Amino acid sequence: MCLANNITKMPRFKTIMVTGGAGYIGSHCVVDLLEAGYEVVAIDNFANAVGDEEGSPALQRAEEITGKQITFYKADLLDKQQINNIFDKHIVDCVIHFAALKAVGESMQQPLLYYQNNLLGMLNLLEVMRSHNCYQMVFSSSCTVYGEPEQLPITETHHTGNITNVYGRTKYFIEEMLKDLSAADEKWNIISLRYFNPVGAHPSGLIGEDPTKEFTNLMPFMAQVALGKKPVLTIFGNDYNTPDGTGIRDYIHVMDLAGGHVAALNLLSENHVRLKVFNLGTGKGVSVKELVNVFERVTGTNIPVKYVSRRLGDITAMWADATLAKNELGWTTKRTVEEMCTDFWRWQTMNPDGYPKKNKTTVIVVNGKS
């Protein structure tokens, strides 16, 4: 049971609920949680992940990697009663909340879908947590809350809210919601982690990023081109005010990111922070062109590229100042850009079609016509 109001010394958490646990970042985080000794209850509705009523291949492989069991429920945060029933079955000490729709382009085309899923899902979750006396949360936020940076590197005190896309606005609105909540009720104990650009895969090659929608992230698209499954890598914009004209981002290995969540749990279990925000990034900017060059070098592949015009809302350059996470969470990144590319390539070559998907060749027959 959460004892957030005991602000002197709180017991180490035992059971962690991971929403969106079957997704890319969620599944890698689950591995780190299990290896750190936590029990995991994971939920996912498979909006962004591969799976079905029988479970998640990513989480089954997380069990294989760790030799530990995961309790999994196919569940949707928009179904409040369903979430309530899961909390009734488990004493949840802390929630790590990953579950959200996350494609920037899709968010611009379907804003109501994003507001409903991301905001209402979070409201339902918070209300169910409160009714079960669980007040501890690690929230998966994003560097998109900063908008176009006013200075680099970006610290946590940088202005937020001047956001260029709907996805980022949902993260910003949730952060504002959490501010109001923690100010109104001192029981809450929340850490919001602003990720920069997660890439890479678990070094075993068993789990990795398997997009269920059109490829929007750079590395999976690049790997598909390297495998010959896509003809060319499309790069949006080569006329930015950067050394090589392509956008600059702070790429962080997904396993370093996972470690940031375990560090956040450690802080929450020992301190009552009310609400704290941390950047998770390497502190180094890498251009799109540089990342492609490193990927080609470490994998021995050739990636043809095609430059097209910039996308609406894309930012020139951003990278983190992660000093606060180092000082207060005791967390720093350990893995290089070369390791990000090597680990992702291992995942992709071992799983060229991603996770096994059932019913790939199923033909649906309607009124006698397929």
Side-chain angles (χ1 to χ4, degrees), residues 1 15 17 41 43 71 73 75 79-93 95 124-125 127-134:
M1 196 66 73
T15 302
M17 174 177 281
V41 176
I43 68 171
T71 303
Y73 296 93
D79 186 339
K80 191 174 176 183
Q81 188 57 51
Q82 189 182 33
I83 304 306
N84 193 75
N85 292 344
I86 295 169
F87 270 81
D88 284 346
K89 293 177 186 171
H90 303 274
I91 297 173
V92 176
D93 295 306
V95 174
N124 286 344
L125 177 62
E127 287 177 346
V128 171
M129 286 175 67
R130 183 177 62 186
S131 71
H132 287 79
N133 202 33
C134 180

PDB file of all heavy atoms in Angstrom, residues 1 15 17 41 43 71 73 75 79-93 95 124-125 127-134:
ATOM      1  N   MET A   1       0.849  -1.189   0.000  1.00  0.00           N
ATOM      2  CA  MET A   1       0.000   0.000   0.000  1.00  0.00           C
ATOM      3  C   MET A   1       0.888   1.244   0.000  1.00  0.00           C
ATOM      4  O   MET A   1       1.930   1.255   0.632  1.00  0.00           O
ATOM      5  CB  MET A   1      -0.883   0.001   1.247  1.00  0.00           C
ATOM      6  CG  MET A   1      -2.048   0.965   1.175  1.00  0.00           C
ATOM      7  SD  MET A   1      -3.251   0.508  -0.097  1.00  0.00           S
ATOM      8  CE  MET A   1      -4.036  -0.908   0.642  1.00  0.00           C
ATOM      9  N   THR A  15       5.370  -3.823  -5.641  1.00  0.00           N
ATOM     10  CA  THR A  15       4.635  -4.077  -6.882  1.00  0.00           C
ATOM     11  C   THR A  15       4.471  -2.794  -7.685  1.00  0.00           C
ATOM     12  O   THR A  15       3.941  -1.796  -7.174  1.00  0.00           O
ATOM     13  CB  THR A  15       3.248  -4.673  -6.574  1.00  0.00           C
ATOM     14  OG1 THR A  15       3.431  -5.873  -5.829  1.00  0.00           O
ATOM     15  CG2 THR A  15       2.491  -4.984  -7.861  1.00  0.00           C
ATOM     16  N   MET A  17       2.894  -1.119 -11.162  1.00  0.00           N
ATOM     17  CA  MET A  17       2.044  -1.248 -12.345  1.00  0.00           C
ATOM     18  C   MET A  17       2.670  -0.448 -13.483  1.00  0.00           C
ATOM     19  O   MET A  17       3.044   0.714 -13.298  1.00  0.00           O
ATOM     20  CB  MET A  17       0.625  -0.736 -12.098  1.00  0.00           C
ATOM     21  CG  MET A  17      -0.210  -0.746 -13.371  1.00  0.00           C
ATOM     22  SD  MET A  17      -1.906  -0.231 -13.135  1.00  0.00           S
ATOM     23  CE  MET A  17      -2.601  -1.732 -12.458  1.00  0.00           C
ATOM     24  N   VAL A  41       3.044  -5.613 -12.632  1.00  0.00           N
ATOM     25  CA  VAL A  41       1.715  -5.813 -13.212  1.00  0.00           C
ATOM     26  C   VAL A  41       1.650  -4.892 -14.427  1.00  0.00           C
ATOM     27  O   VAL A  41       1.720  -3.665 -14.281  1.00  0.00           O
ATOM     28  CB  VAL A  41       0.587  -5.456 -12.218  1.00  0.00           C
ATOM     29  CG1 VAL A  41      -0.774  -5.594 -12.887  1.00  0.00           C
ATOM     30  CG2 VAL A  41       0.672  -6.324 -10.966  1.00  0.00           C
ATOM     31  N   ILE A  43      -0.153  -3.527 -18.049  1.00  0.00           N
ATOM     32  CA  ILE A  43      -1.381  -3.461 -18.838  1.00  0.00           C
ATOM     33  C   ILE A  43      -1.078  -2.793 -20.179  1.00  0.00           C
ATOM     34  O   ILE A  43      -0.159  -1.979 -20.285  1.00  0.00           O
ATOM     35  CB  ILE A  43      -2.538  -2.728 -18.114  1.00  0.00           C
ATOM     36  CG1 ILE A  43      -2.215  -1.233 -17.955  1.00  0.00           C
ATOM     37  CG2 ILE A  43      -2.843  -3.358 -16.768  1.00  0.00           C
ATOM     38  CD1 ILE A  43      -3.408  -0.419 -17.458  1.00  0.00           C
ATOM     39  N   THR A  71       2.737 -10.246 -14.446  1.00  0.00           N
ATOM     40  CA  THR A  71       1.277 -10.326 -14.475  1.00  0.00           C
ATOM     41  C   THR A  71       0.788  -9.350 -15.536  1.00  0.00           C
ATOM     42  O   THR A  71       1.099  -8.157 -15.454  1.00  0.00           O
ATOM     43  CB  THR A  71       0.673  -9.970 -13.105  1.00  0.00           C
ATOM     44  OG1 THR A  71       1.229 -10.848 -12.128  1.00  0.00           O
ATOM     45  CG2 THR A  71      -0.844 -10.113 -13.123  1.00  0.00           C
ATOM     46  N   TYR A  73      -2.413  -7.807 -18.112  1.00  0.00           N
ATOM     47  CA  TYR A  73      -3.829  -7.661 -18.444  1.00  0.00           C
ATOM     48  C   TYR A  73      -3.950  -6.867 -19.739  1.00  0.00           C
ATOM     49  O   TYR A  73      -3.333  -5.799 -19.871  1.00  0.00           O
ATOM     50  CB  TYR A  73      -4.584  -6.892 -17.360  1.00  0.00           C
ATOM     51  CG  TYR A  73      -4.628  -7.580 -16.022  1.00  0.00           C
ATOM     52  CD1 TYR A  73      -3.657  -7.304 -15.055  1.00  0.00           C
ATOM     53  CD2 TYR A  73      -5.634  -8.488 -15.712  1.00  0.00           C
ATOM     54  CE1 TYR A  73      -3.683  -7.935 -13.823  1.00  0.00           C
ATOM     55  CE2 TYR A  73      -5.675  -9.106 -14.473  1.00  0.00           C
ATOM     56  CZ  TYR A  73      -4.691  -8.830 -13.535  1.00  0.00           C
ATOM     57  OH  TYR A  73      -4.737  -9.452 -12.309  1.00  0.00           O
ATOM     58  N   ALA A  75      -5.917  -4.354 -21.286  1.00  0.00           N
ATOM     59  CA  ALA A  75      -6.830  -3.402 -20.657  1.00  0.00           C
ATOM     60  C   ALA A  75      -6.645  -2.032 -21.283  1.00  0.00           C
ATOM     61  O   ALA A  75      -5.587  -1.715 -21.832  1.00  0.00           O
ATOM     62  CB  ALA A  75      -6.569  -3.324 -19.147  1.00  0.00           C
ATOM     63  N   ASP A  79     -11.462   2.521 -20.172  1.00  0.00           N
ATOM     64  CA  ASP A  79     -12.448   1.690 -19.470  1.00  0.00           C
ATOM     65  C   ASP A  79     -12.117   1.729 -17.981  1.00  0.00           C
ATOM     66  O   ASP A  79     -11.366   0.895 -17.473  1.00  0.00           O
ATOM     67  CB  ASP A  79     -12.403   0.261 -20.016  1.00  0.00           C
ATOM     68  CG  ASP A  79     -13.501  -0.625 -19.433  1.00  0.00           C
ATOM     69  OD1 ASP A  79     -14.039  -0.290 -18.357  1.00  0.00           O
ATOM     70  OD2 ASP A  79     -13.797  -1.668 -20.046  1.00  0.00           O
ATOM     71  N   LYS A  80     -12.678   2.702 -17.298  1.00  0.00           N
ATOM     72  CA  LYS A  80     -12.304   2.953 -15.904  1.00  0.00           C
ATOM     73  C   LYS A  80     -12.613   1.768 -14.991  1.00  0.00           C
ATOM     74  O   LYS A  80     -11.830   1.432 -14.100  1.00  0.00           O
ATOM     75  CB  LYS A  80     -13.032   4.216 -15.408  1.00  0.00           C
ATOM     76  CG  LYS A  80     -12.539   4.736 -14.078  1.00  0.00           C
ATOM     77  CD  LYS A  80     -13.224   6.056 -13.754  1.00  0.00           C
ATOM     78  CE  LYS A  80     -12.839   6.551 -12.390  1.00  0.00           C
ATOM     79  NZ  LYS A  80     -13.563   7.798 -12.059  1.00  0.00           N
ATOM     80  N   GLN A  81     -13.752   1.109 -15.233  1.00  0.00           N
ATOM     81  CA  GLN A  81     -14.136  -0.025 -14.391  1.00  0.00           C
ATOM     82  C   GLN A  81     -13.141  -1.174 -14.532  1.00  0.00           C
ATOM     83  O   GLN A  81     -12.791  -1.837 -13.558  1.00  0.00           O
ATOM     84  CB  GLN A  81     -15.554  -0.504 -14.741  1.00  0.00           C
ATOM     85  CG  GLN A  81     -16.098  -1.560 -13.775  1.00  0.00           C
ATOM     86  CD  GLN A  81     -16.111  -1.087 -12.338  1.00  0.00           C
ATOM     87  OE1 GLN A  81     -16.627  -0.013 -12.020  1.00  0.00           O
ATOM     88  NE2 GLN A  81     -15.519  -1.878 -11.439  1.00  0.00           N
ATOM     89  N   GLN A  82     -12.670  -1.372 -15.755  1.00  0.00           N
ATOM     90  CA  GLN A  82     -11.678  -2.425 -16.003  1.00  0.00           C
ATOM     91  C   GLN A  82     -10.395  -2.158 -15.208  1.00  0.00           C
ATOM     92  O   GLN A  82      -9.828  -3.072 -14.583  1.00  0.00           O
ATOM     93  CB  GLN A  82     -11.387  -2.470 -17.506  1.00  0.00           C
ATOM     94  CG  GLN A  82     -10.545  -3.646 -17.956  1.00  0.00           C
ATOM     95  CD  GLN A  82     -10.258  -3.589 -19.453  1.00  0.00           C
ATOM     96  OE1 GLN A  82     -10.128  -2.514 -20.041  1.00  0.00           O
ATOM     97  NE2 GLN A  82     -10.139  -4.760 -20.082  1.00  0.00           N
ATOM     98  N   ILE A  83      -9.950  -0.908 -15.205  1.00  0.00           N
ATOM     99  CA  ILE A  83      -8.737  -0.536 -14.466  1.00  0.00           C
ATOM    100  C   ILE A  83      -8.977  -0.677 -12.963  1.00  0.00           C
ATOM    101  O   ILE A  83      -8.121  -1.165 -12.215  1.00  0.00           O
ATOM    102  CB  ILE A  83      -8.294   0.902 -14.829  1.00  0.00           C
ATOM    103  CG1 ILE A  83      -8.099   1.047 -16.357  1.00  0.00           C
ATOM    104  CG2 ILE A  83      -7.024   1.292 -14.082  1.00  0.00           C
ATOM    105  CD1 ILE A  83      -7.166   0.035 -16.980  1.00  0.00           C
ATOM    106  N   ASN A  84     -10.155  -0.264 -12.529  1.00  0.00           N
ATOM    107  CA  ASN A  84     -10.510  -0.383 -11.115  1.00  0.00           C
ATOM    108  C   ASN A  84     -10.447  -1.847 -10.668  1.00  0.00           C
ATOM    109  O   ASN A  84      -9.939  -2.154  -9.576  1.00  0.00           O
ATOM    110  CB  ASN A  84     -11.905   0.186 -10.889  1.00  0.00           C
ATOM    111  CG  ASN A  84     -12.213   0.378  -9.426  1.00  0.00           C
ATOM    112  OD1 ASN A  84     -11.717   1.305  -8.802  1.00  0.00           O
ATOM    113  ND2 ASN A  84     -13.008  -0.507  -8.857  1.00  0.00           N
ATOM    114  N   ASN A  85     -10.956  -2.740 -11.498  1.00  0.00           N
ATOM    115  CA  ASN A  85     -10.959  -4.164 -11.160  1.00  0.00           C
ATOM    116  C   ASN A  85      -9.542  -4.714 -11.016  1.00  0.00           C
ATOM    117  O   ASN A  85      -9.285  -5.570 -10.155  1.00  0.00           O
ATOM    118  CB  ASN A  85     -11.709  -4.967 -12.234  1.00  0.00           C
ATOM    119  CG  ASN A  85     -13.197  -4.659 -12.252  1.00  0.00           C
ATOM    120  OD1 ASN A  85     -13.729  -4.088 -11.305  1.00  0.00           O
ATOM    121  ND2 ASN A  85     -13.869  -5.014 -13.342  1.00  0.00           N
ATOM    122  N   ILE A  86      -8.615  -4.224 -11.847  1.00  0.00           N
ATOM    123  CA  ILE A  86      -7.220  -4.682 -11.759  1.00  0.00           C
ATOM    124  C   ILE A  86      -6.598  -4.193 -10.448  1.00  0.00           C
ATOM    125  O   ILE A  86      -5.916  -4.949  -9.749  1.00  0.00           O
ATOM    126  CB  ILE A  86      -6.405  -4.203 -12.982  1.00  0.00           C
ATOM    127  CG1 ILE A  86      -6.942  -4.859 -14.258  1.00  0.00           C
ATOM    128  CG2 ILE A  86      -4.916  -4.517 -12.808  1.00  0.00           C
ATOM    129  CD1 ILE A  86      -6.408  -4.264 -15.546  1.00  0.00           C
ATOM    130  N   PHE A  87      -6.862  -2.949 -10.079  1.00  0.00           N
ATOM    131  CA  PHE A  87      -6.354  -2.427  -8.807  1.00  0.00           C
ATOM    132  C   PHE A  87      -6.954  -3.172  -7.617  1.00  0.00           C
ATOM    133  O   PHE A  87      -6.303  -3.311  -6.584  1.00  0.00           O
ATOM    134  CB  PHE A  87      -6.635  -0.925  -8.692  1.00  0.00           C
ATOM    135  CG  PHE A  87      -5.539  -0.056  -9.245  1.00  0.00           C
ATOM    136  CD1 PHE A  87      -5.447   0.197 -10.606  1.00  0.00           C
ATOM    137  CD2 PHE A  87      -4.601   0.522  -8.406  1.00  0.00           C
ATOM    138  CE1 PHE A  87      -4.447   1.002 -11.114  1.00  0.00           C
ATOM    139  CE2 PHE A  87      -3.587   1.328  -8.903  1.00  0.00           C
ATOM    140  CZ  PHE A  87      -3.511   1.565 -10.264  1.00  0.00           C
ATOM    141  N   ASP A  88      -8.186  -3.642  -7.769  1.00  0.00           N
ATOM    142  CA  ASP A  88      -8.809  -4.428  -6.691  1.00  0.00           C
ATOM    143  C   ASP A  88      -8.046  -5.732  -6.431  1.00  0.00           C
ATOM    144  O   ASP A  88      -8.060  -6.250  -5.317  1.00  0.00           O
ATOM    145  CB  ASP A  88     -10.261  -4.773  -7.043  1.00  0.00           C
ATOM    146  CG  ASP A  88     -11.208  -3.587  -6.880  1.00  0.00           C
ATOM    147  OD1 ASP A  88     -10.806  -2.586  -6.244  1.00  0.00           O
ATOM    148  OD2 ASP A  88     -12.345  -3.663  -7.390  1.00  0.00           O
ATOM    149  N   LYS A  89      -7.396  -6.258  -7.474  1.00  0.00           N
ATOM    150  CA  LYS A  89      -6.726  -7.561  -7.361  1.00  0.00           C
ATOM    151  C   LYS A  89      -5.289  -7.455  -6.842  1.00  0.00           C
ATOM    152  O   LYS A  89      -4.700  -8.469  -6.461  1.00  0.00           O
ATOM    153  CB  LYS A  89      -6.691  -8.248  -8.736  1.00  0.00           C
ATOM    154  CG  LYS A  89      -8.048  -8.663  -9.266  1.00  0.00           C
ATOM    155  CD  LYS A  89      -7.886  -9.267 -10.658  1.00  0.00           C
ATOM    156  CE  LYS A  89      -9.232  -9.570 -11.278  1.00  0.00           C
ATOM    157  NZ  LYS A  89      -9.124  -9.964 -12.698  1.00  0.00           N
ATOM    158  N   HIS A  90      -4.711  -6.270  -6.889  1.00  0.00           N
ATOM    159  CA  HIS A  90      -3.290  -6.113  -6.546  1.00  0.00           C
ATOM    160  C   HIS A  90      -3.095  -4.907  -5.630  1.00  0.00           C
ATOM    161  O   HIS A  90      -3.789  -3.900  -5.775  1.00  0.00           O
ATOM    162  CB  HIS A  90      -2.447  -5.897  -7.811  1.00  0.00           C
ATOM    163  CG  HIS A  90      -2.572  -6.993  -8.820  1.00  0.00           C
ATOM    164  ND1 HIS A  90      -1.812  -8.139  -8.789  1.00  0.00           N
ATOM    165  CD2 HIS A  90      -3.405  -7.127  -9.893  1.00  0.00           C
ATOM    166  CE1 HIS A  90      -2.158  -8.922  -9.799  1.00  0.00           C
ATOM    167  NE2 HIS A  90      -3.123  -8.339 -10.481  1.00  0.00           N
ATOM    168  N   ILE A  91      -2.143  -5.019  -4.720  1.00  0.00           N
ATOM    169  CA  ILE A  91      -1.722  -3.841  -3.948  1.00  0.00           C
ATOM    170  C   ILE A  91      -0.588  -3.199  -4.736  1.00  0.00           C
ATOM    171  O   ILE A  91       0.539  -3.691  -4.754  1.00  0.00           O
ATOM    172  CB  ILE A  91      -1.275  -4.227  -2.529  1.00  0.00           C
ATOM    173  CG1 ILE A  91      -2.450  -4.831  -1.751  1.00  0.00           C
ATOM    174  CG2 ILE A  91      -0.734  -3.002  -1.795  1.00  0.00           C
ATOM    175  CD1 ILE A  91      -2.076  -5.391  -0.400  1.00  0.00           C
ATOM    176  N   VAL A  92      -0.910  -2.119  -5.426  1.00  0.00           N
ATOM    177  CA  VAL A  92       0.059  -1.450  -6.300  1.00  0.00           C
ATOM    178  C   VAL A  92       0.747  -0.338  -5.510  1.00  0.00           C
ATOM    179  O   VAL A  92       0.091   0.546  -4.966  1.00  0.00           O
ATOM    180  CB  VAL A  92      -0.641  -0.868  -7.554  1.00  0.00           C
ATOM    181  CG1 VAL A  92       0.349  -0.097  -8.411  1.00  0.00           C
ATOM    182  CG2 VAL A  92      -1.303  -1.985  -8.358  1.00  0.00           C
ATOM    183  N   ASP A  93       2.076  -0.398  -5.461  1.00  0.00           N
ATOM    184  CA  ASP A  93       2.831   0.608  -4.723  1.00  0.00           C
ATOM    185  C   ASP A  93       3.108   1.866  -5.547  1.00  0.00           C
ATOM    186  O   ASP A  93       3.173   2.965  -5.012  1.00  0.00           O
ATOM    187  CB  ASP A  93       4.170   0.022  -4.261  1.00  0.00           C
ATOM    188  CG  ASP A  93       3.972  -1.095  -3.258  1.00  0.00           C
ATOM    189  OD1 ASP A  93       3.300  -0.866  -2.250  1.00  0.00           O
ATOM    190  OD2 ASP A  93       4.475  -2.212  -3.501  1.00  0.00           O
ATOM    191  N   VAL A  95       2.836   3.469  -9.890  1.00  0.00           N
ATOM    192  CA  VAL A  95       2.493   3.284 -11.305  1.00  0.00           C
ATOM    193  C   VAL A  95       3.541   3.993 -12.159  1.00  0.00           C
ATOM    194  O   VAL A  95       3.884   5.150 -11.901  1.00  0.00           O
ATOM    195  CB  VAL A  95       1.095   3.858 -11.620  1.00  0.00           C
ATOM    196  CG1 VAL A  95       0.811   3.780 -13.123  1.00  0.00           C
ATOM    197  CG2 VAL A  95       0.022   3.123 -10.830  1.00  0.00           C
ATOM    198  N   ASN A 124      -8.653   8.942 -15.704  1.00  0.00           N
ATOM    199  CA  ASN A 124      -9.197   7.698 -15.168  1.00  0.00           C
ATOM    200  C   ASN A 124      -8.181   7.001 -14.261  1.00  0.00           C
ATOM    201  O   ASN A 124      -8.521   6.529 -13.172  1.00  0.00           O
ATOM    202  CB  ASN A 124      -9.597   6.747 -16.299  1.00  0.00           C
ATOM    203  CG  ASN A 124     -10.869   7.175 -16.997  1.00  0.00           C
ATOM    204  OD1 ASN A 124     -11.629   7.996 -16.482  1.00  0.00           O
ATOM    205  ND2 ASN A 124     -11.114   6.628 -18.171  1.00  0.00           N
ATOM    206  N   LEU A 125      -6.934   6.951 -14.733  1.00  0.00           N
ATOM    207  CA  LEU A 125      -5.889   6.281 -13.965  1.00  0.00           C
ATOM    208  C   LEU A 125      -5.679   6.960 -12.609  1.00  0.00           C
ATOM    209  O   LEU A 125      -5.611   6.289 -11.561  1.00  0.00           O
ATOM    210  CB  LEU A 125      -4.582   6.269 -14.772  1.00  0.00           C
ATOM    211  CG  LEU A 125      -3.357   5.663 -14.085  1.00  0.00           C
ATOM    212  CD1 LEU A 125      -3.583   4.190 -13.751  1.00  0.00           C
ATOM    213  CD2 LEU A 125      -2.121   5.820 -14.975  1.00  0.00           C
ATOM    214  N   GLU A 127      -7.737   8.817 -10.894  1.00  0.00           N
ATOM    215  CA  GLU A 127      -8.896   8.643 -10.009  1.00  0.00           C
ATOM    216  C   GLU A 127      -8.919   7.236  -9.403  1.00  0.00           C
ATOM    217  O   GLU A 127      -9.219   7.072  -8.213  1.00  0.00           O
ATOM    218  CB  GLU A 127     -10.191   8.932 -10.771  1.00  0.00           C
ATOM    219  CG  GLU A 127     -10.376  10.419 -11.049  1.00  0.00           C
ATOM    220  CD  GLU A 127     -11.614  10.732 -11.876  1.00  0.00           C
ATOM    221  OE1 GLU A 127     -12.201   9.790 -12.458  1.00  0.00           O
ATOM    222  OE2 GLU A 127     -11.991  11.914 -11.946  1.00  0.00           O
ATOM    223  N   VAL A 128      -8.586   6.233 -10.209  1.00  0.00           N
ATOM    224  CA  VAL A 128      -8.548   4.863  -9.688  1.00  0.00           C
ATOM    225  C   VAL A 128      -7.403   4.717  -8.682  1.00  0.00           C
ATOM    226  O   VAL A 128      -7.565   4.089  -7.627  1.00  0.00           O
ATOM    227  CB  VAL A 128      -8.422   3.838 -10.835  1.00  0.00           C
ATOM    228  CG1 VAL A 128      -8.166   2.436 -10.291  1.00  0.00           C
ATOM    229  CG2 VAL A 128      -9.674   3.848 -11.703  1.00  0.00           C
ATOM    230  N   MET A 129      -6.248   5.293  -8.979  1.00  0.00           N
ATOM    231  CA  MET A 129      -5.129   5.256  -8.023  1.00  0.00           C
ATOM    232  C   MET A 129      -5.538   5.862  -6.687  1.00  0.00           C
ATOM    233  O   MET A 129      -5.309   5.265  -5.626  1.00  0.00           O
ATOM    234  CB  MET A 129      -3.926   6.017  -8.601  1.00  0.00           C
ATOM    235  CG  MET A 129      -3.188   5.297  -9.704  1.00  0.00           C
ATOM    236  SD  MET A 129      -1.870   6.325 -10.428  1.00  0.00           S
ATOM    237  CE  MET A 129      -0.726   6.439  -9.039  1.00  0.00           C
ATOM    238  N   ARG A 130      -6.153   7.027  -6.736  1.00  0.00           N
ATOM    239  CA  ARG A 130      -6.545   7.717  -5.498  1.00  0.00           C
ATOM    240  C   ARG A 130      -7.533   6.873  -4.694  1.00  0.00           C
ATOM    241  O   ARG A 130      -7.422   6.758  -3.463  1.00  0.00           O
ATOM    242  CB  ARG A 130      -7.153   9.079  -5.835  1.00  0.00           C
ATOM    243  CG  ARG A 130      -7.536   9.905  -4.597  1.00  0.00           C
ATOM    244  CD  ARG A 130      -8.050  11.270  -5.012  1.00  0.00           C
ATOM    245  NE  ARG A 130      -9.257  11.159  -5.837  1.00  0.00           N
ATOM    246  CZ  ARG A 130      -9.839  12.207  -6.426  1.00  0.00           C
ATOM    247  NH1 ARG A 130      -9.323  13.417  -6.301  1.00  0.00           N
ATOM    248  NH2 ARG A 130     -10.923  12.041  -7.171  1.00  0.00           N
ATOM    249  N   SER A 131      -8.485   6.246  -5.390  1.00  0.00           N
ATOM    250  CA  SER A 131      -9.495   5.448  -4.687  1.00  0.00           C
ATOM    251  C   SER A 131      -8.887   4.185  -4.065  1.00  0.00           C
ATOM    252  O   SER A 131      -9.484   3.585  -3.172  1.00  0.00           O
ATOM    253  CB  SER A 131     -10.630   5.059  -5.642  1.00  0.00           C
ATOM    254  OG  SER A 131     -10.202   4.095  -6.583  1.00  0.00           O
ATOM    255  N   HIS A 132      -7.680   3.799  -4.518  1.00  0.00           N
ATOM    256  CA  HIS A 132      -6.994   2.641  -3.938  1.00  0.00           C
ATOM    257  C   HIS A 132      -5.796   3.061  -3.077  1.00  0.00           C
ATOM    258  O   HIS A 132      -4.916   2.244  -2.794  1.00  0.00           O
ATOM    259  CB  HIS A 132      -6.545   1.690  -5.051  1.00  0.00           C
ATOM    260  CG  HIS A 132      -7.682   0.943  -5.676  1.00  0.00           C
ATOM    261  ND1 HIS A 132      -8.520   1.525  -6.615  1.00  0.00           N
ATOM    262  CD2 HIS A 132      -8.157  -0.311  -5.488  1.00  0.00           C
ATOM    263  CE1 HIS A 132      -9.448   0.642  -6.977  1.00  0.00           C
ATOM    264  NE2 HIS A 132      -9.242  -0.466  -6.303  1.00  0.00           N
ATOM    265  N   ASN A 133      -5.776   4.333  -2.705  1.00  0.00           N
ATOM    266  CA  ASN A 133      -4.753   4.848  -1.789  1.00  0.00           C
ATOM    267  C   ASN A 133      -3.333   4.658  -2.337  1.00  0.00           C
ATOM    268  O   ASN A 133      -2.387   4.403  -1.600  1.00  0.00           O
ATOM    269  CB  ASN A 133      -4.885   4.160  -0.413  1.00  0.00           C
ATOM    270  CG  ASN A 133      -4.250   4.993   0.682  1.00  0.00           C
ATOM    271  OD1 ASN A 133      -4.263   6.216   0.617  1.00  0.00           O
ATOM    272  ND2 ASN A 133      -3.696   4.336   1.685  1.00  0.00           N
ATOM    273  N   CYS A 134      -3.194   4.768  -3.655  1.00  0.00           N
ATOM    274  CA  CYS A 134      -1.873   4.706  -4.299  1.00  0.00           C
ATOM    275  C   CYS A 134      -1.571   6.080  -4.886  1.00  0.00           C
ATOM    276  O   CYS A 134      -2.269   6.533  -5.798  1.00  0.00           O
ATOM    277  CB  CYS A 134      -1.869   3.639  -5.391  1.00  0.00           C
ATOM    278  SG  CYS A 134      -0.276   3.499  -6.223  1.00  0.00           S
TER     279      CYS A 134
END
